[in-house]
């Protein structure tokens, strides 16, 4: 009998939702993370490995973290593979409201001669798939730097992966606030959120406009601040807190160290806000 496990990817920055933790978004009373765990269990997974910082201590899962953090989904898979002891493994991103239905389509053992299967809505959705663990390990071993910043194609492109054709609605994930509204049954509105790749361009434009030096805008630090404040206080508090941190850093001298100190102070406040 073929055994199956699960790798759930939940460690992204959430840059298009102001740094909020997407796997903890609730849809119909259940977090996206819990939904993915339940889907994996229903699909026969005995051992569920979540690549993320510990987000919910009540979940019966194994937590792993890529090193360094935020190395991308491939790095998360590489970090999780040593904890997988099954013949086959689901790989599911934890921003998918339809995880339960997706796993049903992938619940059968893989056919002979293939390394995996993934959903395909006109484009292969590598992060909604089922793969042979040995094949994943072999592919991962060929990647440099433990898969950091590698594409899913770099990991899986050389494997024999079959497609399971589905309607795009099946694979629509929660990537923006509008996506979350739609998943909860609301009306989709036009999004003005910058895609992650546009942040560098915008940062460079700001630096040029205001005569800032390269490195004066610490994108990762600001996004982490926004995430921690959005989670610890409230989403609208994130941009306000970023402004205050910048103001404090400027009054302290404006050096990178001043910025880091101001951000650290705001983050410390945010993490203790609910317990005040």
């Amino acid at each position: 009998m073929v055994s199956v496990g699960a790798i759930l990817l939940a460690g992204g920055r959430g840059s298009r939702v102001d740094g909020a933790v997407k796997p903890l978004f609730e849809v119909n009373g259940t977090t996206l993370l819990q939904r993915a765990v339940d889907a994996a269990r229903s699909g026969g997974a005995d051992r569920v490995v979540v690549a993320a910082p510990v987000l919910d201590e009540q979940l019966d899962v194994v937590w792993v973290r890529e090193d360094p953090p935020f190395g991308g989904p491939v790095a998360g898979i590489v970090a999780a593979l040593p904890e997988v002891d099954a013949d086959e493994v689901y790989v599911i991103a934890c921003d998918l409201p339809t995880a339960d239905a997706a796993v049903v389509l992938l619940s059968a053992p893989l056919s002979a001669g293939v390394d995996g299967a993934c959903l395909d809505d006109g484009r292969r959705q590598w992060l909604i798939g089922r793969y042979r663990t040995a094949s994943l390990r072999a592919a991962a071993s060929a990647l440099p730097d433990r898969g950091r910043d590698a594409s899913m194609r770099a990991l899986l492109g050389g494997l024999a992966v079959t497609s399971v054709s589905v309607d795009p609605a099946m694979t629509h994930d929660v990537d923006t606030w509008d996506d979350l509204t739609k998943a909860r049954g609301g009306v989709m509105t036009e999004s003005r959120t910058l895609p992650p790749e546009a942040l560098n361009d915008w940062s460079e434009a700001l630096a040029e406009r205001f005569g800032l030096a390269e490195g004066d805008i610490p994108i990762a630090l600001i996004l982490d601040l926004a995430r921690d404040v959005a989670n610890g206080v409230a989403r609208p508090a994130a941009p306000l807190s970023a402004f205050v941190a910048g103001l404090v850093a400027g009054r302290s001298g404006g050096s990178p160290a001043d910025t880091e100190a101001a951000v650290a102070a705001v983050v410390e406040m945010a993490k203790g806000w609910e317990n005040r």
Side-chain angles (χ1 to χ4, degrees), residues 125-181:
Q125 300 296 329
W126 305 106
L127 295 181
I128 316 174
R130 176 171 175 153
Y131 305 96
R132 295 195 193 282
T133 306
S135 299
L136 276 185
R137 287 199 175 107
S141 68
L143 296 176
D145 202 18
R146 294 184 56 80
R148 183 182 183 187
D149 297 327
S151 68
M152 289 299 295
R153 184 175 295 278
L155 175 65
L156 300 175
L159 301 183
V161 179
T162 60
S163 296
V164 179
S165 297
V166 296
D167 186 274
M170 174 68 73
T171 61
H172 192 82
D173 57 9
V174 174
D175 200 30
T176 67
W177 293 114
D178 281 337
D179 291 338
L180 180 60
T181 298

Short mmCIF file of all heavy atoms in Angstrom, two decimals, residues 125-181:
data_model
loop_
_atom_site.label_atom_id
_atom_site.label_comp_id
_atom_site.label_asym_id
_atom_site.label_seq_id
_atom_site.Cartn_x
_atom_site.Cartn_y
_atom_site.Cartn_z
N GLN A 125 0.10 24.22 -11.98
CA GLN A 125 0.15 24.73 -10.61
C GLN A 125 0.97 23.76 -9.77
O GLN A 125 0.45 22.87 -9.11
CB GLN A 125 -1.28 24.90 -10.07
CG GLN A 125 -2.14 25.85 -10.86
CD GLN A 125 -1.61 27.28 -10.82
OE1 GLN A 125 -1.01 27.71 -9.84
NE2 GLN A 125 -1.84 28.02 -11.90
N TRP A 126 2.28 23.96 -9.80
CA TRP A 126 3.20 23.04 -9.13
C TRP A 126 2.90 22.92 -7.63
O TRP A 126 3.16 21.88 -7.02
CB TRP A 126 4.64 23.51 -9.31
CG TRP A 126 5.11 23.74 -10.70
CD1 TRP A 126 5.31 24.94 -11.31
CD2 TRP A 126 5.48 22.75 -11.67
NE1 TRP A 126 5.78 24.77 -12.59
CE2 TRP A 126 5.90 23.44 -12.85
CE3 TRP A 126 5.51 21.36 -11.67
CZ2 TRP A 126 6.34 22.78 -13.99
CZ3 TRP A 126 5.95 20.70 -12.81
CH2 TRP A 126 6.36 21.40 -13.95
N LEU A 127 2.40 24.00 -7.04
CA LEU A 127 2.19 24.02 -5.59
C LEU A 127 0.83 23.48 -5.18
O LEU A 127 0.37 23.70 -4.06
CB LEU A 127 2.38 25.44 -5.05
CG LEU A 127 3.79 26.00 -5.18
CD1 LEU A 127 3.88 27.40 -4.60
CD2 LEU A 127 4.81 25.08 -4.51
N ILE A 128 0.18 22.78 -6.09
CA ILE A 128 -1.03 22.01 -5.77
C ILE A 128 -0.82 20.65 -6.43
O ILE A 128 -1.36 20.36 -7.50
CB ILE A 128 -2.32 22.68 -6.29
CG1 ILE A 128 -2.32 24.18 -6.02
CG2 ILE A 128 -3.54 22.03 -5.66
CD1 ILE A 128 -3.49 24.92 -6.64
N GLY A 129 0.00 19.84 -5.80
CA GLY A 129 0.38 18.59 -6.45
C GLY A 129 0.66 17.46 -5.49
O GLY A 129 0.60 17.60 -4.27
N ARG A 130 0.94 16.31 -6.09
CA ARG A 130 1.32 15.11 -5.36
C ARG A 130 2.52 14.51 -6.08
O ARG A 130 2.49 14.33 -7.30
CB ARG A 130 0.16 14.11 -5.32
CG ARG A 130 0.48 12.77 -4.65
CD ARG A 130 -0.77 11.95 -4.47
NE ARG A 130 -0.49 10.62 -3.93
CZ ARG A 130 -1.36 9.90 -3.22
NH1 ARG A 130 -2.56 10.39 -2.97
NH2 ARG A 130 -1.04 8.71 -2.77
N TYR A 131 3.58 14.18 -5.32
CA TYR A 131 4.83 13.77 -5.94
C TYR A 131 5.44 12.57 -5.22
O TYR A 131 5.17 12.34 -4.03
CB TYR A 131 5.83 14.94 -5.90
CG TYR A 131 5.29 16.19 -6.53
CD1 TYR A 131 4.71 17.19 -5.75
CD2 TYR A 131 5.31 16.37 -7.91
CE1 TYR A 131 4.17 18.34 -6.33
CE2 TYR A 131 4.79 17.51 -8.49
CZ TYR A 131 4.21 18.49 -7.69
OH TYR A 131 3.68 19.61 -8.28
N ARG A 132 6.25 11.82 -5.96
CA ARG A 132 7.00 10.75 -5.33
C ARG A 132 8.10 11.39 -4.47
O ARG A 132 8.87 12.23 -4.95
CB ARG A 132 7.63 9.83 -6.37
CG ARG A 132 6.61 9.07 -7.20
CD ARG A 132 7.23 7.92 -7.97
NE ARG A 132 6.29 7.43 -8.96
CZ ARG A 132 5.25 6.64 -8.70
NH1 ARG A 132 5.05 6.24 -7.45
NH2 ARG A 132 4.43 6.25 -9.66
N THR A 133 8.17 10.97 -3.24
CA THR A 133 9.13 11.57 -2.32
C THR A 133 10.56 11.37 -2.80
O THR A 133 11.39 12.29 -2.75
CB THR A 133 8.95 10.98 -0.91
OG1 THR A 133 7.58 11.12 -0.51
CG2 THR A 133 9.85 11.69 0.08
N ALA A 134 10.86 10.18 -3.29
CA ALA A 134 12.22 9.90 -3.77
C ALA A 134 12.58 10.79 -4.95
O ALA A 134 13.72 11.26 -5.06
CB ALA A 134 12.34 8.43 -4.17
N SER A 135 11.62 11.05 -5.83
CA SER A 135 11.88 11.91 -6.98
C SER A 135 12.14 13.35 -6.54
O SER A 135 13.03 14.03 -7.07
CB SER A 135 10.69 11.88 -7.94
OG SER A 135 10.48 10.57 -8.44
N LEU A 136 11.36 13.82 -5.56
CA LEU A 136 11.58 15.17 -5.04
C LEU A 136 12.96 15.27 -4.39
O LEU A 136 13.67 16.27 -4.58
CB LEU A 136 10.51 15.52 -4.01
CG LEU A 136 9.17 16.07 -4.51
CD1 LEU A 136 8.31 16.47 -3.32
CD2 LEU A 136 9.37 17.25 -5.44
N ARG A 137 13.33 14.27 -3.62
CA ARG A 137 14.63 14.31 -2.95
C ARG A 137 15.76 14.35 -3.97
O ARG A 137 16.73 15.10 -3.82
CB ARG A 137 14.79 13.09 -2.04
CG ARG A 137 13.96 13.16 -0.77
CD ARG A 137 14.49 12.20 0.29
NE ARG A 137 13.76 12.36 1.53
CZ ARG A 137 12.86 11.51 2.01
NH1 ARG A 137 12.59 10.41 1.33
NH2 ARG A 137 12.25 11.74 3.14
N ALA A 138 15.65 13.55 -5.02
CA ALA A 138 16.69 13.53 -6.04
C ALA A 138 16.79 14.88 -6.74
O ALA A 138 17.89 15.40 -6.98
CB ALA A 138 16.41 12.42 -7.06
N ALA A 139 15.64 15.47 -7.06
CA ALA A 139 15.65 16.76 -7.74
C ALA A 139 16.18 17.85 -6.82
O ALA A 139 16.93 18.74 -7.24
CB ALA A 139 14.24 17.11 -8.20
N ALA A 140 15.80 17.79 -5.55
CA ALA A 140 16.24 18.80 -4.59
C ALA A 140 17.75 18.74 -4.36
O ALA A 140 18.40 19.77 -4.16
CB ALA A 140 15.50 18.63 -3.27
N SER A 141 18.30 17.54 -4.40
CA SER A 141 19.73 17.38 -4.13
C SER A 141 20.60 18.03 -5.20
O SER A 141 21.77 18.33 -4.96
CB SER A 141 20.08 15.89 -4.03
OG SER A 141 19.94 15.25 -5.29
N ALA A 142 20.01 18.28 -6.37
CA ALA A 142 20.77 18.88 -7.47
C ALA A 142 20.75 20.40 -7.43
O ALA A 142 21.46 21.05 -8.21
CB ALA A 142 20.21 18.39 -8.81
N LEU A 143 19.97 20.98 -6.53
CA LEU A 143 19.84 22.43 -6.47
C LEU A 143 20.91 23.04 -5.58
O LEU A 143 21.22 22.50 -4.51
CB LEU A 143 18.47 22.83 -5.94
CG LEU A 143 17.26 22.42 -6.79
CD1 LEU A 143 15.97 22.80 -6.07
CD2 LEU A 143 17.31 23.09 -8.16
N PRO A 144 21.46 24.19 -5.97
CA PRO A 144 22.42 24.86 -5.10
C PRO A 144 21.73 25.60 -3.96
O PRO A 144 20.54 25.92 -4.04
CB PRO A 144 23.10 25.86 -6.05
CG PRO A 144 22.05 26.16 -7.08
CD PRO A 144 21.27 24.87 -7.26
N ASP A 145 22.47 25.86 -2.90
CA ASP A 145 22.02 26.72 -1.80
C ASP A 145 20.71 26.25 -1.20
O ASP A 145 19.87 27.06 -0.82
CB ASP A 145 21.90 28.16 -2.31
CG ASP A 145 21.97 29.19 -1.18
OD1 ASP A 145 22.44 28.82 -0.08
OD2 ASP A 145 21.55 30.33 -1.40
N ARG A 146 20.51 24.93 -1.14
CA ARG A 146 19.31 24.32 -0.53
C ARG A 146 18.02 24.89 -1.11
O ARG A 146 17.01 25.01 -0.44
CB ARG A 146 19.33 24.49 0.99
CG ARG A 146 20.46 23.71 1.67
CD ARG A 146 20.39 23.81 3.17
NE ARG A 146 19.11 23.37 3.71
CZ ARG A 146 18.77 22.09 3.88
NH1 ARG A 146 19.60 21.13 3.53
NH2 ARG A 146 17.60 21.78 4.39
N GLY A 147 18.07 25.24 -2.40
CA GLY A 147 16.87 25.68 -3.10
C GLY A 147 16.48 27.12 -2.88
O GLY A 147 15.41 27.55 -3.33
N ARG A 148 17.32 27.88 -2.23
CA ARG A 148 16.95 29.27 -1.93
C ARG A 148 16.72 30.06 -3.22
O ARG A 148 17.56 30.07 -4.12
CB ARG A 148 18.05 29.95 -1.12
CG ARG A 148 17.70 31.38 -0.71
CD ARG A 148 18.84 32.04 0.04
NE ARG A 148 18.46 33.38 0.47
CZ ARG A 148 19.29 34.23 1.04
NH1 ARG A 148 20.55 33.89 1.24
NH2 ARG A 148 18.87 35.43 1.40
N ASP A 149 15.56 30.69 -3.30
CA ASP A 149 15.15 31.53 -4.43
C ASP A 149 15.05 30.77 -5.75
O ASP A 149 14.98 31.38 -6.81
CB ASP A 149 16.10 32.73 -4.60
CG ASP A 149 16.08 33.66 -3.40
OD1 ASP A 149 15.00 33.79 -2.79
OD2 ASP A 149 17.12 34.24 -3.06
N ALA A 150 15.05 29.45 -5.69
CA ALA A 150 14.90 28.65 -6.91
C ALA A 150 13.43 28.63 -7.33
O ALA A 150 12.52 28.75 -6.51
CB ALA A 150 15.40 27.22 -6.69
N SER A 151 13.20 28.46 -8.62
CA SER A 151 11.83 28.37 -9.13
C SER A 151 11.33 26.93 -8.99
O SER A 151 12.11 25.98 -8.92
CB SER A 151 11.78 28.79 -10.59
OG SER A 151 12.46 27.84 -11.40
N MET A 152 10.01 26.79 -8.99
CA MET A 152 9.44 25.45 -8.96
C MET A 152 9.80 24.68 -10.24
O MET A 152 9.96 23.47 -10.21
CB MET A 152 7.93 25.53 -8.79
CG MET A 152 7.48 25.96 -7.41
SD MET A 152 8.02 24.83 -6.09
CE MET A 152 7.11 23.34 -6.52
N ARG A 153 9.94 25.39 -11.32
CA ARG A 153 10.34 24.73 -12.57
C ARG A 153 11.75 24.15 -12.43
O ARG A 153 12.05 23.08 -12.96
CB ARG A 153 10.27 25.70 -13.74
CG ARG A 153 10.59 25.06 -15.08
CD ARG A 153 10.39 26.04 -16.23
NE ARG A 153 8.98 26.41 -16.34
CZ ARG A 153 8.07 25.68 -16.97
NH1 ARG A 153 8.42 24.53 -17.53
NH2 ARG A 153 6.83 26.09 -17.05
N ALA A 154 12.63 24.87 -11.72
CA ALA A 154 13.99 24.36 -11.52
C ALA A 154 13.96 23.06 -10.73
O ALA A 154 14.76 22.15 -10.97
CB ALA A 154 14.83 25.40 -10.80
N LEU A 155 13.01 22.95 -9.80
CA LEU A 155 12.90 21.73 -9.00
C LEU A 155 12.21 20.61 -9.76
O LEU A 155 12.66 19.46 -9.74
CB LEU A 155 12.13 22.04 -7.71
CG LEU A 155 11.83 20.84 -6.80
CD1 LEU A 155 13.12 20.25 -6.24
CD2 LEU A 155 10.89 21.25 -5.67
N LEU A 156 11.12 20.93 -10.44
CA LEU A 156 10.25 19.89 -11.00
C LEU A 156 10.31 19.75 -12.51
O LEU A 156 9.77 18.80 -13.06
CB LEU A 156 8.80 20.17 -10.59
CG LEU A 156 8.51 20.21 -9.09
CD1 LEU A 156 7.06 20.62 -8.84
CD2 LEU A 156 8.80 18.86 -8.46
N GLY A 157 10.96 20.70 -13.18
CA GLY A 157 10.95 20.70 -14.64
C GLY A 157 11.52 19.46 -15.28
O GLY A 157 11.13 19.09 -16.39
N GLY A 158 12.43 18.78 -14.59
CA GLY A 158 13.04 17.58 -15.14
C GLY A 158 12.31 16.30 -14.78
O GLY A 158 12.73 15.21 -15.19
N LEU A 159 11.21 16.41 -14.03
CA LEU A 159 10.46 15.23 -13.61
C LEU A 159 9.28 14.98 -14.54
O LEU A 159 8.81 15.88 -15.23
CB LEU A 159 9.95 15.42 -12.18
CG LEU A 159 10.99 15.66 -11.09
CD1 LEU A 159 10.32 15.75 -9.73
CD2 LEU A 159 12.06 14.58 -11.09
N ALA A 160 8.80 13.75 -14.52
CA ALA A 160 7.62 13.39 -15.31
C ALA A 160 6.38 13.68 -14.45
O ALA A 160 6.00 12.88 -13.60
CB ALA A 160 7.67 11.91 -15.69
N VAL A 161 5.79 14.84 -14.68
CA VAL A 161 4.64 15.29 -13.88
C VAL A 161 3.43 15.40 -14.80
O VAL A 161 3.46 16.13 -15.80
CB VAL A 161 4.92 16.65 -13.21
CG1 VAL A 161 3.70 17.11 -12.42
CG2 VAL A 161 6.14 16.55 -12.30
N THR A 162 2.37 14.68 -14.47
CA THR A 162 1.16 14.73 -15.27
C THR A 162 0.26 15.87 -14.78
O THR A 162 0.36 16.32 -13.64
CB THR A 162 0.38 13.41 -15.19
OG1 THR A 162 0.02 13.16 -13.82
CG2 THR A 162 1.23 12.26 -15.69
N SER A 163 -0.61 16.33 -15.66
CA SER A 163 -1.50 17.44 -15.35
C SER A 163 -2.92 16.94 -15.09
O SER A 163 -3.40 16.04 -15.78
CB SER A 163 -1.52 18.45 -16.50
OG SER A 163 -0.26 19.05 -16.68
N VAL A 164 -3.56 17.55 -14.11
CA VAL A 164 -4.98 17.31 -13.84
C VAL A 164 -5.71 18.60 -14.19
O VAL A 164 -5.59 19.60 -13.47
CB VAL A 164 -5.22 16.93 -12.37
CG1 VAL A 164 -6.70 16.72 -12.11
CG2 VAL A 164 -4.41 15.70 -11.98
N SER A 165 -6.43 18.60 -15.29
CA SER A 165 -7.06 19.82 -15.78
C SER A 165 -8.23 20.23 -14.89
O SER A 165 -9.08 19.40 -14.54
CB SER A 165 -7.56 19.62 -17.22
OG SER A 165 -6.46 19.37 -18.08
N VAL A 166 -8.26 21.51 -14.53
CA VAL A 166 -9.33 22.04 -13.67
C VAL A 166 -9.71 23.43 -14.14
O VAL A 166 -8.98 24.08 -14.89
CB VAL A 166 -8.88 22.11 -12.19
CG1 VAL A 166 -8.61 20.73 -11.63
CG2 VAL A 166 -7.66 23.02 -12.03
N ASP A 167 -10.86 23.88 -13.67
CA ASP A 167 -11.28 25.26 -13.91
C ASP A 167 -10.40 26.19 -13.08
O ASP A 167 -10.00 25.85 -11.96
CB ASP A 167 -12.74 25.42 -13.48
CG ASP A 167 -13.29 26.78 -13.84
OD1 ASP A 167 -13.10 27.72 -13.03
OD2 ASP A 167 -13.90 26.91 -14.91
N PRO A 168 -10.07 27.38 -13.59
CA PRO A 168 -9.23 28.32 -12.82
C PRO A 168 -9.77 28.65 -11.44
O PRO A 168 -8.99 29.00 -10.54
CB PRO A 168 -9.19 29.56 -13.73
CG PRO A 168 -9.37 29.03 -15.10
CD PRO A 168 -10.33 27.88 -14.96
N ALA A 169 -11.08 28.54 -11.25
CA ALA A 169 -11.64 28.83 -9.93
C ALA A 169 -11.09 27.87 -8.87
O ALA A 169 -11.00 28.22 -7.69
CB ALA A 169 -13.16 28.73 -9.98
N MET A 170 -10.71 26.67 -9.29
CA MET A 170 -10.19 25.68 -8.35
C MET A 170 -8.83 26.09 -7.80
O MET A 170 -8.47 25.73 -6.67
CB MET A 170 -10.09 24.32 -9.05
CG MET A 170 -9.43 23.23 -8.23
SD MET A 170 -10.41 22.72 -6.81
CE MET A 170 -11.72 21.81 -7.65
N THR A 171 -8.06 26.83 -8.57
CA THR A 171 -6.69 27.15 -8.17
C THR A 171 -6.52 28.61 -7.76
O THR A 171 -5.39 29.06 -7.54
CB THR A 171 -5.73 26.86 -9.34
OG1 THR A 171 -6.09 27.67 -10.46
CG2 THR A 171 -5.79 25.39 -9.73
N HIS A 172 -7.63 29.34 -7.64
CA HIS A 172 -7.53 30.76 -7.30
C HIS A 172 -7.15 30.91 -5.83
O HIS A 172 -7.90 30.55 -4.94
CB HIS A 172 -8.85 31.48 -7.58
CG HIS A 172 -8.72 32.97 -7.53
ND1 HIS A 172 -8.26 33.71 -8.59
CD2 HIS A 172 -8.96 33.85 -6.53
CE1 HIS A 172 -8.24 35.00 -8.25
NE2 HIS A 172 -8.65 35.10 -7.00
N ASP A 173 -5.95 31.43 -5.59
CA ASP A 173 -5.47 31.54 -4.22
C ASP A 173 -5.76 32.92 -3.64
O ASP A 173 -6.29 33.80 -4.32
CB ASP A 173 -3.97 31.23 -4.15
CG ASP A 173 -3.14 32.14 -5.05
OD1 ASP A 173 -3.70 33.11 -5.60
OD2 ASP A 173 -1.94 31.87 -5.21
N VAL A 174 -5.41 33.09 -2.39
CA VAL A 174 -5.59 34.39 -1.72
C VAL A 174 -4.24 35.09 -1.74
O VAL A 174 -3.35 34.78 -0.94
CB VAL A 174 -6.10 34.20 -0.28
CG1 VAL A 174 -6.12 35.54 0.45
CG2 VAL A 174 -7.48 33.58 -0.28
N ASP A 175 -4.10 36.01 -2.67
CA ASP A 175 -2.83 36.71 -2.84
C ASP A 175 -2.93 38.18 -2.45
O ASP A 175 -1.92 38.82 -2.19
CB ASP A 175 -2.37 36.58 -4.29
CG ASP A 175 -0.88 36.83 -4.45
OD1 ASP A 175 -0.13 36.53 -3.50
OD2 ASP A 175 -0.46 37.32 -5.51
N THR A 176 -4.16 38.72 -2.45
CA THR A 176 -4.39 40.12 -2.13
C THR A 176 -5.60 40.23 -1.21
O THR A 176 -6.33 39.26 -1.00
CB THR A 176 -4.66 40.95 -3.40
OG1 THR A 176 -5.92 40.53 -3.97
CG2 THR A 176 -3.56 40.76 -4.44
N TRP A 177 -5.84 41.43 -0.70
CA TRP A 177 -7.03 41.64 0.14
C TRP A 177 -8.30 41.41 -0.66
O TRP A 177 -9.30 40.90 -0.13
CB TRP A 177 -7.01 43.06 0.72
CG TRP A 177 -5.90 43.29 1.69
CD1 TRP A 177 -4.84 44.13 1.55
CD2 TRP A 177 -5.74 42.67 2.98
NE1 TRP A 177 -4.02 44.07 2.66
CE2 TRP A 177 -4.55 43.19 3.55
CE3 TRP A 177 -6.47 41.72 3.69
CZ2 TRP A 177 -4.10 42.79 4.80
CZ3 TRP A 177 -6.02 41.32 4.94
CH2 TRP A 177 -4.85 41.85 5.49
N ASP A 178 -8.29 41.78 -1.93
CA ASP A 178 -9.48 41.55 -2.76
C ASP A 178 -9.74 40.06 -2.94
O ASP A 178 -10.88 39.62 -2.97
CB ASP A 178 -9.31 42.22 -4.13
CG ASP A 178 -9.58 43.72 -4.08
OD1 ASP A 178 -10.30 44.15 -3.16
OD2 ASP A 178 -9.09 44.44 -4.95
N ASP A 179 -8.67 39.28 -3.08
CA ASP A 179 -8.83 37.83 -3.17
C ASP A 179 -9.49 37.28 -1.91
O ASP A 179 -10.35 36.39 -1.98
CB ASP A 179 -7.47 37.14 -3.35
CG ASP A 179 -6.84 37.43 -4.70
OD1 ASP A 179 -7.57 37.78 -5.64
OD2 ASP A 179 -5.60 37.29 -4.80
N LEU A 180 -9.09 37.81 -0.76
CA LEU A 180 -9.68 37.36 0.50
C LEU A 180 -11.15 37.71 0.56
O LEU A 180 -11.99 36.90 0.98
CB LEU A 180 -8.93 37.98 1.68
CG LEU A 180 -9.44 37.59 3.07
CD1 LEU A 180 -9.36 36.08 3.29
CD2 LEU A 180 -8.66 38.34 4.15
N THR A 181 -11.49 38.92 0.14
CA THR A 181 -12.89 39.33 0.11
C THR A 181 -13.71 38.40 -0.78
O THR A 181 -14.81 37.97 -0.42
CB THR A 181 -13.01 40.78 -0.40
OG1 THR A 181 -12.32 41.65 0.50
CG2 THR A 181 -14.46 41.21 -0.50
#
